Amino acid sequence: MKPGYYGNWGGAFVPEILHETFRQLNAFFTEAQADPAFWRQYVDLMGSYSCRPTPLTLAENLTRRFGGASIYIKREDLNHTGAHKANNVMGQGLLVQRMGKRRVIAETGAGQHGVATATMAAKFGFECTIYMGEEDVQRQRPNVFWMEKLGATVVPVTSGSRTLKDAINEAFRDWVANMDSTHYVMGTVCGPHPFPAMVAWFQKIIGEEAKEQILAAHGRLPARVYACVGGGSNAMGIFQGFLADEEVELVGVEAGGEGLTSGRHASRLAAIPTTADTDGIPDATPGVAQGYKTMFLQDDDGQMKDTHSVAAGLDYIGVSPMLADLWERGRVRMTAATDTEVMEALQLAMASEGIIPALESAHAFVQAFKEAGELSPESAIIINQSGRGDKDIFTIAHAFKDPSWREFIRAKGEEYGKEPVS
Amino acid sequence: MSLTQQIRQAKADREILLMTHLVLGYPSFAVNREVIARMVAAGVEIIELQIPFSEPVADGPVILRANQEAIDRGVRVRQCLEFAAEMTAEHQIPFLFMTYYNILFKYGVEDFLAQARKVGVRGLIIPDLPPEEGEEYLAACRKHELAPIQIFAPTSSDERMAKLAGHGDGFIYCVARRGVTGAQTSFDREFDDYIARCRRATDLPLAVGFGISNRADVEMLKGKAEIAVIGSATIRLVEEHGPAAVTEFMEGLR
Ligand SMILES: Cc1ncc(COP(=O)(O)O)c(C=O)c1O
């Protein structure tokens, strides 16, 4: 198989101008991977700076409620900056140091990857520019605020659907002009080789920890592991701990948005078997875009479709080539959760366990809640809580139609309207 | 006659050839039609027809927007093929397709190239398809006698250029500088060294593009390249002054 391919998927479809940059990146990555001192440096950094190992929490109240498998939650929300994104970003930061570059750029959907990258840049002393779709800038305003305060320049992208896919294109354009000084910190296990391999390598720390922790806490492997899938990095991260254990079922949960037949979702793989003989549904088909081959939400001509999810971090046209391969080979089962189901699961998780998953992560909770009761009480399942929901306060408050929050925002707006910003 | 031979023959009467670019269906096929007629009448030797794609990563803001608006207006790949057939029947100069790989991949690479041949285009420029990923494409180009135009960049090493040249035909498209389409290019000593490296790597004619927008730019390329490529500049011109302005602009370029 060609390097950078996972079955039929992957590759490196990059413009010639970036060929040399990718050659160098590959060389530095391969060298780092072969150097045990590099991985130790990474683990130490994550331990002292990012709260690793993150705990595996037994959700006792939820377990009791569903009456089946013991529900464990892998707490990636406790990472510094509040999501699994920190793992990847700190790892790439160490690589950037090795490469001697001075500037990093990134794309971001939910803003979590942008905040993580801006944080890393502040810590390592790199210059930092973050590209973010204009629509996501609106949706994830608190994260924009943090990125700016951390010293990054946030560039709202107004082209296309003004979401993550367009931010990725803009980041590529920047890179093409500035590759000598700049590293592009890809946020997920997508894009041209070696990005999927590199991001998956840093994120495998989640799965390695989770496996050790579940064996210690429960005495056996979990029956199932659930993770939400946007690009697929938190999923690949935790799945890698269990890939070789065939008895562990791996379940990915994509964004079902307003439903798989609504035309407003971001579900690539999950939408396929259920809608095989239905017309007019924007199912994914094989394609090549943004530098790699995978299943994309595209039309008959190969133009990418608009996507939708209540969770900005899952609102993406493509999916990791690694997951496309695992799905095709039947190793990973793909499902989808709708926006409505996500809000219900979120509410339940908050009220019964006192934890606030990010809207992205809440997708994984939906599917786990649907299935936990089917399993025997001796078994265990793990939900990967990829991030915390604080960033989503505006979206969540809006969805819950919370009257006192509304009043607070209205009053704040009035207050700001009166006093000039100086 | 092969595309390379045709370029050499045209070059015999000219100090430099002009290749222009437009995005199909932007602002409309009717305007494309008029612009092309004016370009041909003004003596342009080669025209690049860009089939719009939703993720044109190698293009700058002007061409990006043109791609998007064309798609928003409902332009389909099938219409682009039909339009190309009409242009090749009407005008006697070589036309090329420029697009991104997904357009071919989704259509079926072999089928697309068979169609391209049928509509009379002579070659293709696919900026996101390095030869390592393009085996099927390169084989189908050979089979259908289409030129798979390869791209050199200032960052390409000598070995890389030699490899690319080995896969190319027609001419080599030399990207003048780092960055995407549409920004200014400076023609300095470094540029001359780069073009000299390109020349050593291939016997094929050289086209230079990215940031060529006026007579002075074209003048600078005389004696250095066979072809000057005018891209974003014509799109901007048509947007600001309408298709009629193309004649004077093209005639004034050399
Ligand atoms: C909390 C959280 N979870 C999940 C994702 C989706 O990314 P991935 O699928 O790569 O894990 C994001 C992306 O921004 C995120 O912020």
Side-chain angles (χ1 to χ4, degrees):
Chain A
M1 204 183 299
K2 280 203 285 190
Y5 273 82
Y6 307 92
N8 297 311
W9 316 102
F13 296 80
V14 291
E16 177 57 25
I17 191 90
L18 282 173
H19 178 84
E20 180 58 20
T21 306
F22 271 90
R23 200 192 57 71
Q24 283 169 8
L25 179 60
N26 239 316
F28 276 100
F29 171 55
T30 312
E31 191 191 277
Q33 237 185 337
D35 176 3
F38 182 83
W39 185 258
R40 270 199 306 277
Q41 186 190 10
Y42 168 67
V43 172
D44 287 350
L45 174 66
M46 294 314 287
S48 63
Y49 191 66
S50 192
C51 198
R52 296 218 75 91
T54 58
L56 184 73
T57 304
L58 174 62
E60 290 179 277
N61 299 324
L62 287 169
T63 300
R64 208 170 306 118
R65 180 187 181 98
F66 292 108
S70 293
I71 301 174
Y72 287 87
I73 302 173
K74 179 62 175 164
R75 304 293 305 281
E76 289 305 297
D77 58 311
L78 296 178
N79 262 300
H80 183 43
T81 70
H84 70 295
K85 301 282 176 189
N87 308 332
N88 166 42
V89 154
M90 291 301 161
Q92 290 198 47
L94 291 173
L95 263 184
V96 175
Q97 266 188 339
R98 242 173 130 101
M99 291 190 286
K101 293 190 173 181
R102 303 277 319 137
R103 176 172 178 262
V104 291
I105 55 174
E107 85 296 342
T108 193
Q112 288 306 95
H113 176 57
V115 170
T117 304
T119 302
M120 177 272 278
K123 178 166 172 57
F124 286 107
F126 303 143
E127 225 185 292
C128 180
T129 300
I130 304 291
Y131 292 91
M132 191 168 183
E134 201 179 37
E135 181 172 326
D136 294 333
V137 168
Q138 301 299 326
R139 285 199 280 190
Q140 301 288 342
R141 188 66 224 180
N143 275 340
V144 174
F145 174 82
W146 285 125
M147 284 182 258
E148 289 176 347
K149 291 300 161 230
L150 287 160
T153 306
V154 180
V155 181
V157 175
T158 56
S159 55
S161 54
R162 297 175 293 127
T163 60
L164 184 57
K165 80 170 177 66
D166 309 292
I168 292 178
N169 293 337
E170 279 311 312
F172 262 108
R173 292 194 178 95
D174 181 319
W175 205 19
V176 157
N178 301 299
M179 59 263 191
D180 288 346
S181 65
T182 300
H183 174 70
Y184 177 8
V185 186
M186 176 66 73
T188 188
V189 277
C190 292
H193 176 70
F195 278 119
M198 189 162 89
V199 178
W201 188 55
F202 291 125
Q203 293 292 7
K204 81 179 159 77
I205 197 165
I206 307 173
E208 287 178 351
E209 283 175 16
K211 182 170 182 175
E212 209 171 284
Q213 289 166 325
I214 192 82
L215 289 174
H218 198 75
R220 59 200 266 193
L221 289 169
R224 293 177 191 168
V225 177
Y226 296 87
C228 67
V229 179
S233 66
N234 86 87
M236 276 311 296
I238 194 157
F239 289 172
Q240 283 173 102
F242 305 95
L243 266 183
D245 305 305
E246 290 292 334
E247 70 267 38
V248 180
E249 192 182 13
L250 307 174
V251 186
V253 189
E254 296 179 316
E258 293 172 11
L260 296 187
T261 54
S262 67
R264 282 178 56 75
H265 66 84
S267 183
R268 292 75 30 120
L269 303 176
I272 288 169
T274 51
T275 59
D277 51 10
T278 316
D279 280 341
I281 291 163
D283 285 350
T285 51
V288 177
Q290 303 197 326
Y292 69 113
K293 185 187 288 184
T294 194
M295 299 290 284
F296 283 103
L297 284 165
Q298 56 180 333
D299 71 11
D300 296 348
D301 267 358
Q303 311 295 357
M304 297 302 141
K305 295 226 177 208
D306 284 352
T307 52
H308 164 82
S309 169
V310 69
L314 304 186
D315 200 353
Y316 178 54
I317 50 169
V319 63
S320 174
M322 296 168 159
L323 283 171
D325 178 47
L326 291 168
W327 165 79
E328 199 170 48
R329 291 195 281 120
R331 184 66 189 93
V332 169
R333 171 159 59 96
M334 281 290 183
T335 63
T338 65
D339 292 349
T340 310
E341 291 172 324
V342 163
M343 295 311 296
E344 286 165 11
L346 179 64
Q347 197 158 19
L348 187 59
M350 287 195 287
S352 46
E353 298 290 345
I355 56 167
I356 310 175
L359 284 168
E360 289 79 12
S361 318
H363 283 70
F365 283 71
V366 169
Q367 197 61 30
F369 290 175
K370 282 184 190 169
E371 299 179 8
E374 310 168 353
L375 295 164
S376 82
E378 292 76 52
S379 60
I381 60 174
I382 301 178
I383 304 171
N384 198 27
Q385 179 164 333
S386 55
R388 63 173 192 235
D390 315 29
K391 70 181 170 68
D392 298 317
I393 186 160
F394 290 92
T395 315
I396 294 173
H398 185 76
F400 285 150
K401 299 191 170 55
D402 186 286
S404 55
W405 176 262
R406 244 169 216 269
E407 179 48 32
F408 161 70
I409 294 293
R410 203 194 52 71
K412 266 284 169 214
E414 223 163 66
E415 190 184 317
Y416 281 159
K418 276 185 216 139
E419 58 180 59
V421 184
S422 58
Chain B
M1 198 184 343
S2 78
L3 180 58
T4 311
Q5 285 169 322
Q6 203 172 337
I7 289 167
R8 292 206 197 292
Q9 203 171 72
K11 179 67 174 55
D13 313 327
R14 288 276 196 188
E15 272 188 283
I16 193 157
L17 308 182
L18 292 179
M19 177 163 102
T20 54
H21 164 278
L22 44 92
V23 174
L24 293 177
Y26 178 78
S28 66
F29 284 109
V31 171
N32 288 162
R33 201 174 274 119
E34 181 181 347
V35 166
I36 289 170
R38 287 178 180 278
M39 285 173 172
V40 175
V44 164
E45 279 88 3
I46 309 174
I47 298 180
E48 239 184 299
L49 306 173
Q50 180 163 0
I51 302 176
F53 180 48
S54 57
E55 324 296 310
V57 286
D59 284 301
V62 173
I63 298 180
L64 166 67
R65 191 164 35 75
N67 272 262
Q68 244 143 29
E69 288 192 21
I71 294 165
D72 290 347
R73 287 169 200 194
V75 169
R76 304 300 310 250
V77 173
R78 184 180 41 76
Q79 292 174 292
C80 295
L81 288 164
E82 284 164 8
F83 182 79
E86 186 192 324
M87 289 305 107
T88 58
E90 176 100 17
H91 303 291
Q92 297 314 306
I93 65 165
F95 287 88
L96 310 173
F97 276 142
M98 183 262 164
T99 193
Y100 289 83
Y101 184 52
N102 199 45
I103 298 293
L104 279 66
F105 181 78
K106 186 72 183 158
Y107 196 99
V109 173
E110 164 68 32
D111 285 355
F112 185 90
L113 293 174
Q115 279 301 311
R117 167 74 188 194
K118 212 162 128 197
V119 301
V121 308
R122 305 292 300 282
L124 300 99
I125 301 172
I126 313 290
D128 64 343
L129 189 65
E132 290 83 357
E133 301 285 4
E135 284 153 28
E136 184 188 5
Y137 163 78
L138 293 168
C141 280
R142 273 193 297 278
K143 176 173 159 196
H144 296 290
E145 294 175 359
L146 290 160
I149 288 140
Q150 297 294 315
I151 298 172
F152 286 178
T155 47
S156 311
S157 66
D158 293 349
E159 298 76 27
R160 179 77 185 158
M161 284 183 179
K163 177 174 180 174
L164 293 168
H167 292 291
D169 197 4
F171 60 91
I172 296 284
Y173 191 122
C174 305
V175 170
R177 64 176 157 71
R178 298 162 191 224
V180 290
T181 55
Q184 222 24 66
T185 293
S186 60
F187 298 102
D188 48 16
R189 175 72 202 288
E190 204 181 321
F191 176 79
D192 289 345
D193 293 345
Y194 162 54
I195 293 299
R197 287 204 302 120
C198 297
R199 190 63 79 189
R200 280 197 298 276
T202 183
D203 294 331
L204 290 169
L206 301 181
V208 174
F210 278 47
I212 314 294
S213 64
N214 55 43
R215 189 188 181 106
D217 294 339
V218 175
E219 198 61 38
M220 285 298 298
L221 291 178
K222 285 184 183 168
K224 293 177 185 166
E226 278 76 13
I227 307 165
V229 187
I230 319 291
S232 307
T234 22
I235 295 185
R236 270 194 296 256
L237 179 80
V238 173
E239 281 172 352
E240 285 163 22
H241 304 287
V246 169
T247 302
E248 196 190 332
F249 177 68
M250 291 296 155
E251 286 172 353
L253 280 175
R254 66 182 167 193

